[in-house]
């Protein structure tokens, strides 16, 4: 059986997609594209690459920092906007995503075509907020898709705990935690107790910089929650592996190696596809390095389909 630990399905990206409104979703995408560094911003009239500094105020991450540039979802993988009378775009999605949506049936057929048996459906604000959407996916495609539950802002409170328990009963087998946030605070003890009780896998979505910021709180949490299985999504970004022209394991690899309940997702084509072409020689070297150190049982494979098709 081949399992893809990182896939996405989503309705039209210009829709509400679980947000309070279509505009709220667009604002989340606009903020994400301002921070996005893997794909360049291009001027539409001649496709020349320009600096991406026009979507949000770097000094004001709140909604007040949003630039009024008529940011919009178009077609064929593009987000577009207009600033000072000039049109720009970014190809966050591949050009073959013609209608800017990826239905469960679309992913199912792609999986059948290349021989993938199961796929974990990860989360991300650019795609939407999908706790409700994924319920329907489970009902129709629960034999091949494993959607992740994204904890609500009040996750540690009684209402949030009830929602987590309910979604587990509905077929969610894991949760998505973006960043460290405050999840290691003692106030979250009841939340983690419930995660343990429900036997849910935790997928951690971290920014590359956060790997170097792993602190004693996370290690202490791992020691206290040894029964929880963790997957580090898109783990070991090349920026953490490459030093002085060679690949070497960062110090946190040796620390995390001590915890058998931590698995590492390898998804180098999406994280490194902007920097190297198929067959990704440096990425293959990184996989070999991690395989030799951790062994196959600690590594999982993630494609980030359909997004990855912008590269391969």
């Amino acid at each position: 059986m081949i399992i893809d630990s990182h896939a996405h399905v989503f309705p039209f990206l210009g829709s509400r997609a679980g947000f309070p409104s279509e505009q709220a979703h667009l604002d989340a995408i606009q903020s994400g594209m301002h921070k996005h560094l893997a794909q360049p911003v291009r001027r539409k009239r001649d496709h020349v690459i320009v600096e991406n500094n026009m979507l949000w105020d770097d000094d004001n991450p709140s909604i007040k920092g949003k630039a009024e540039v008529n940011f919009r979802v178009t077609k064929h993988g593009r987000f577009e906007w207009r600033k000072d009378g000039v049109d720009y775009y970014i190809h966050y999605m591949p050009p073959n995503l013609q209608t800017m949506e990826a239905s469960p049936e679309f992913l199912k057929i792609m999986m059948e075509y290349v021989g993938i048996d199961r796929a974990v459906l990860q989360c991300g604000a650019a795609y939407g907020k999908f706790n409700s959407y994924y319920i329907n996916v489970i009902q129709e495609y629960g034999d091949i898709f494993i959607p992740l539950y994204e904890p609500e802002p009040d996750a540690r409170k009684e209402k949030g705990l009830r929602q987590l328990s309910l979604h587990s009963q509905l077929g969610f087998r894991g949760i998505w935690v973006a960043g460290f946030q405050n999840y290691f605070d003692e106030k979250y003890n009841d939340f983690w107790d419930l995660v343990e009780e429900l036997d849910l896998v935790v997928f951690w979505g971290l920014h590359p910089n956060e790997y170097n910021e792993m602190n004693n709180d996370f290690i202490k949490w791992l020691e206290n929650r040894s029964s929880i299985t963790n997957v580090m999504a898109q783990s070991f970004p090349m920026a953490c592996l490459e030093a002085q022209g060679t690949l070497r394991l960062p110090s946190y690899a040796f620390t995390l190696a001590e915890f058998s309940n931590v698995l590492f997702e390898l998804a180098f084509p999406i994280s490194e596809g902007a920097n190297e072409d198929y067959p990704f020689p440096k990425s293959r070297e990184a996989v070999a390095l991690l395989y030799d150190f951790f062994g196959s049982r600690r590594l999982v494979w993630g494609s980030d389909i359909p997004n990855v098709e912008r590269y391969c």
Side-chain angles (χ1 to χ4, degrees):
M1 176 178 287
I2 300 178
I3 301 174
D4 183 350
S5 74
H6 192 151
H8 295 280
V9 298
F10 45 88
F12 173 58
L13 289 172
S15 67
R16 190 168 67 87
F19 277 82
S21 65
E22 291 181 4
Q23 188 59 54
H25 186 201
L26 279 175
D27 291 344
I29 299 174
Q30 182 172 338
S31 175
M33 292 308 101
H34 176 71
K35 303 170 187 173
H36 186 66
L37 301 176
Q39 286 289 85
V41 170
R42 296 179 183 271
R43 192 167 54 215
K44 190 173 181 179
R45 69 169 180 262
D46 53 12
H47 314 294
V48 169
I49 294 175
V50 299
E51 187 176 353
N52 181 13
N53 61 353
M54 60 187 77
L55 292 178
W56 216 275
D57 182 351
D58 284 324
D59 297 323
N60 188 356
S62 75
I63 191 63
K64 293 181 179 180
K66 183 183 78 167
E68 297 300 331
V69 292
N70 188 26
F71 184 88
R72 58 201 180 273
V73 178
T74 56
K75 296 181 179 180
H76 307 288
R78 290 184 180 180
F79 299 128
E80 299 186 9
W81 61 94
R82 172 174 279 250
K83 181 176 175 62
D84 299 329
V86 180
D87 291 316
Y88 301 90
Y89 68 87
I90 186 171
H91 254 302
Y92 184 69
M93 292 293 174
N96 61 358
L97 201 70
Q98 299 178 43
T99 60
M100 298 296 272
E101 62 181 324
S103 70
E105 185 68 14
F106 173 64
L107 179 56
K108 173 178 178 290
I109 290 174
M110 293 184 75
M111 291 166 59
E112 292 171 347
Y113 185 65
V114 296
I116 307 301
D117 299 287
R118 305 289 299 275
V120 176
L121 303 181
Q122 292 196 17
C123 307
Y127 301 100
K129 293 182 178 295
F130 290 149
N131 288 340
S132 297
Y133 175 74
Y134 281 161
I135 292 174
N136 295 327
V137 173
I138 291 173
Q139 290 174 345
E140 189 168 357
Y141 300 94
D143 58 332
I144 60 171
F145 294 145
I146 308 170
L148 300 180
Y149 175 78
E150 189 169 13
E152 304 290 349
D154 59 356
R156 65 183 180 84
K157 298 180 181 180
E158 184 176 350
K159 180 182 177 181
L161 297 177
R162 285 201 308 268
Q163 286 295 316
L164 177 60
S165 182
L166 173 62
H167 282 77
S168 175
Q169 295 172 30
L170 292 172
F172 288 76
R173 296 171 54 191
I175 65 173
W176 170 261
V177 178
F180 287 95
Q181 302 174 12
N182 298 315
Y183 279 95
F184 304 135
D185 193 292
E186 290 184 358
K187 296 177 181 179
Y188 277 84
N189 283 342
D190 289 344
F191 172 80
W192 291 120
D193 287 345
L194 183 58
V195 169
E196 282 186 303
E197 179 184 333
L198 298 173
D199 194 24
L200 298 174
V201 177
V202 181
F203 279 69
W204 297 91
L206 307 180
H207 187 277
N209 291 340
E210 291 180 300
Y211 279 90
N212 295 321
E213 295 170 5
M214 285 183 180
N215 51 35
N216 292 331
D217 290 339
F218 183 51
I219 301 305
K220 183 178 179 180
W221 181 89
L222 287 172
E223 292 172 345
N224 294 333
R225 302 290 178 176
S226 59
S227 65
I228 295 179
T229 299
N230 302 272
V231 179
M232 313 302 287
Q234 294 195 41
S235 62
F236 294 105
M238 200 66 70
C240 296
L241 287 174
E242 193 169 20
Q244 298 178 346
T246 61
L247 296 183
R248 66 176 74 179
L249 291 168
S251 58
Y252 66 80
F254 297 90
T255 302
L256 293 180
E258 300 176 7
F259 298 93
S260 60
N261 59 325
V262 179
L263 307 178
F264 305 96
E265 176 192 283
L266 303 186
F268 286 116
I270 185 66
S271 63
E272 296 302 316
N275 303 316
E276 63 173 350
D277 293 325
Y278 179 87
F280 311 110
K282 184 176 292 185
S283 296
R284 291 166 67 91
E285 184 182 349
V287 171
L289 176 70
L290 296 167
Y291 181 92
D292 289 342
F293 182 71
F294 288 108
S296 62
R297 297 186 66 181
R298 300 286 298 278
L299 306 177
V300 298
W301 163 69
S303 69
D304 203 356
I305 199 75
N307 198 340
V308 71
E309 289 203 323
R310 71 186 186 218
Y311 296 134
C312 63

